[in-house]
Amino acid sequence: MAKDEPKDRSKPVLVLFRNDLRVADNRALAAAVQSGKPVTAVFIRDEKDGSRPAGGAARWWLHHSLQRLSEKLAGLGSGLCLRRGPMHETVASLLKETGADTVLWNRRYDPPSAAADAGLKKSLREHGLTAESFDGCLLHEPSRLKTGAGGFYKVYTPFWKALCSGPEPRDPVDAPDKLVCSDRTPKSEKLDDWNLLPKRPDWAGGFRERWNPGEDGAWSRLNAFLETELEDYAEGRDRPFADVTSGLSPHLAHGEITPFQILAALKRKKATGGHDDREKFRKELGWREFCYHLLFHNPDLRNKNFNSAFDGFSWSGDPKNLHAWQRGQTGYPIVDAGMRELWTTGVMHNRVRMIAASFLIKHCLIDWREGEKWFWDTLVDADPASNPANWQWVAGSGADASPYFRIFNPILQGEKFDPDGTYVRHFIPALEKMPAKYIHRPWEAPKDILAQAGVKLGSDYPVPVIDHKEARERALRAYKSM
Ligand code: FAD
């Protein structure tokens, strides 16, 4: 606040919360507290600012995360004011209602939100108000990290090297002990009136079992991960049923924890057992940074092929297969288990995301944008950068992408990463009694084995919608003719 030291200490500061639903390592909130002025915390839901409207699963998360944040702020002596409407007008009205002369927020990096925030800052300053923004959700500022030639990075390894050769990440900022509340507290809308929860409450049943949205939930995940799971991370992270990954993605997507906090916690944790899995984990966080870097420089990443050579590709797949894929009814157990995991828990293991995405794009020849949209709607960690960047990576059209001729074999991938079929059995109970030998290829099981396992192919579990070998050859032909 040095530059724009507020003059009147009685006038409140508005702190805008968006994708930063936390009180610790929240630099905007910390700066507001430091100013010594009363703090008014606000969450404005502007569905028309050009940013991507949240999908169904992420809205479920947002509802609960806002509830937790509101409780946390109340514990600190303030509340959270919820408002819906265009950002500029809503901020203007809040300034009037509260008499605030300062607006602070943490930066967003998806291009429409970044543009909206830049516009807001300019207009507030033109009106003589103080407007400041702070870092928080990324370790790097995408506008500042440049290649030697002055462009942006299109390949991950040099990007990561450049990031690591820069200054050490800053230390996280502590949560405030208390907030001075304004005596002109604006009236809040009711969270329940926002209808963020799914119309079909049974959809979210599995989300509730698996997740604890909010800052405390993020910290219990991180602590559990550092205590036990990190040790087997490098080896185990590809095994979908090993449960050794951090599970932090939805918490990061909603800003309940920051990469600065995660890196600081990793630093405090000593390497164990002679191998240091922390580096592998840091690099995964680096992929998140890379995706944001790509999105920042390619605003239409979710619609437009990064590599325009793919623009002429003919997506000639049968739409019926899109439906089968969405429902987990393709007949390929590892794909179907992944799609059912997604539907019931709001996430899918990373390895299986790659297999399922590859199956839709390459086996079914369905446009990657269809898969991206489905993930956007069903993932609790749906992220405007990571989702399109990873879909394009699998399609081969993205930056530093998997080559088009790398077509995952869903049978061999299943056998390699889920050898006993534990993951498949969990999400496809119809195959529970299938012997491991056939769990990833039930259509090859002899009749007596199917009968012993109680499986009637075609009714209990589908026969494959497409033959793997034929699909692979068809995909290679299509890609070659591009
Ligand atoms: P961990 O292995 O514990 O990794 C730690 C963190 O690193 C993650 O929380 C995430 O923030 C980051 N990370 C790890 N892998 C990647 C990656 N490939 N790309 C970007 N960041 C990564 N991740 C999302 O957060 N949101 C999405 O919408 C999303 N969509 C995806 C779509 C496809 C087709 C694929 C193949 C991957 C997608 N990912 C997405 C990346 C990855 O699958 C998830 O980040 C990961 O599974 C989350 O689990 P975790 O937190 O336990 O990961």
Side-chain angles (χ1 to χ4, degrees), residues 315-326 360 364-366:
W315 299 105
S316 53
D318 182 345
K320 275 208 300 265
N321 288 346
L322 173 63
H323 192 256
W325 178 82
Q326 290 170 336
L360 183 75
C364 301
L365 288 187
I366 288 175

Side-chain angles (χ1 to χ4, degrees), residues 422-442:
T422 320
Y423 177 74
V424 162
R425 282 176 226 286
H426 183 81
F427 288 106
I428 311 181
L431 297 180
E432 202 185 342
K433 297 205 174 81
M434 202 67 176
K437 185 173 174 197
Y438 296 108
I439 188 86
H440 293 289
R441 45 178 94 219

Side-chain angles (χ1 to χ4, degrees), residues 233 245-249 281 284 288 350 353 381 383 387 390:
Y233 182 74
T245 67
S246 70
L248 284 171
S249 53
F281 182 66
E284 294 309 316
R288 176 175 175 271
N350 180 60
R353 289 188 204 204
D381 68 13
D383 183 278
N387 200 40
N390 276 286

Side-chain angles (χ1 to χ4, degrees), residues 225 233 237 244-250 252-253 281 284-289 291 348-351 353-354 357 375-376 379 381-384 386-388 390-391 393-394:
F225 175 67
Y233 182 74
R237 61 182 288 276
V244 299
T245 67
S246 70
L248 284 171
S249 53
L252 276 163
F281 182 66
E284 294 309 316
L285 287 173
W287 274 101
R288 176 175 175 271
E289 298 282 326
C291 294
M348 191 195 299
H349 185 275
N350 180 60
R351 166 63 46 182
R353 289 188 204 204
M354 291 195 279
F375 270 32
W376 180 259
L379 279 172
D381 68 13
D383 183 278
S386 298
N387 200 40
N390 276 286
W391 271 94
W393 183 88
V394 177

Side-chain angles (χ1 to χ4, degrees), residues 424-475:
V424 162
R425 282 176 226 286
H426 183 81
F427 288 106
I428 311 181
L431 297 180
E432 202 185 342
K433 297 205 174 81
M434 202 67 176
K437 185 173 174 197
Y438 296 108
I439 188 86
H440 293 289
R441 45 178 94 219
W443 61 92
E444 286 181 11
K447 275 194 186 129
D448 58 324
I449 300 272
L450 284 172
Q452 275 166 30
V455 179
K456 274 201 201 96
L457 279 185
S459 55
D460 298 328
Y461 184 69
V463 289
V465 291
I466 202 157
D467 174 73
H468 165 67
K469 226 170 137 211
E470 274 172 32
R472 183 187 146 75
E473 279 157 18
R474 185 178 69 148

Side-chain angles (χ1 to χ4, degrees), residues 75-237:
L76 293 173
S78 175
L80 179 65
C81 170
L82 303 175
R83 288 287 168 95
R84 253 175 311 187
M87 184 66 75
H88 281 241
E89 284 87 330
T90 314
V91 169
S93 146
L94 285 163
L95 288 168
K96 225 175 177 180
E97 291 169 49
T98 59
D101 63 355
T102 304
V103 188
L104 307 179
W105 63 81
N106 297 309
R107 282 192 276 285
R108 301 181 288 181
Y109 297 96
D110 63 290
S113 305
D117 289 352
L120 180 66
K121 193 184 268 180
K122 186 166 175 278
S123 130
L124 290 170
R125 286 181 175 174
E126 278 168 3
H127 285 84
L129 296 152
T130 301
E132 287 296 335
S133 63
F134 301 84
D135 70 58
C137 78
L138 291 183
L139 299 169
H140 80 296
E141 290 291 315
S143 58
R144 287 195 207 136
L145 192 68
K146 296 214 166 97
T147 62
F152 69 94
Y153 286 92
K154 299 180 181 88
V155 180
Y156 173 72
T157 305
F159 166 83
W160 182 237
K161 276 193 187 146
L163 195 60
C164 294
S165 64
E168 278 281 297
R170 65 166 176 78
D171 288 332
V173 178
D174 288 340
D177 297 331
K178 70 176 179 52
L179 299 172
V180 179
C181 190
S182 162
D183 49 12
R184 289 170 71 182
T185 308
K187 203 166 161 7
S188 174
E189 292 177 19
K190 286 202 180 83
L191 183 56
D192 285 341
D193 292 344
W194 284 11
N195 294 321
L196 294 170
L197 297 175
K199 291 207 172 55
R200 286 179 46 188
D202 56 317
W203 181 30
F207 300 179
R208 277 194 296 274
E209 264 172 45
R210 171 123 174 203
W211 299 108
N212 181 12
E215 203 168 351
D216 293 346
W219 278 96
S220 33
R221 263 285 78 236
L222 178 61
N223 289 332
F225 175 67
L226 294 178
E227 277 301 306
T228 53
E229 298 143 13
L230 175 63
E231 227 164 276
D232 191 26
Y233 182 74
E235 273 272 306
R237 61 182 288 276

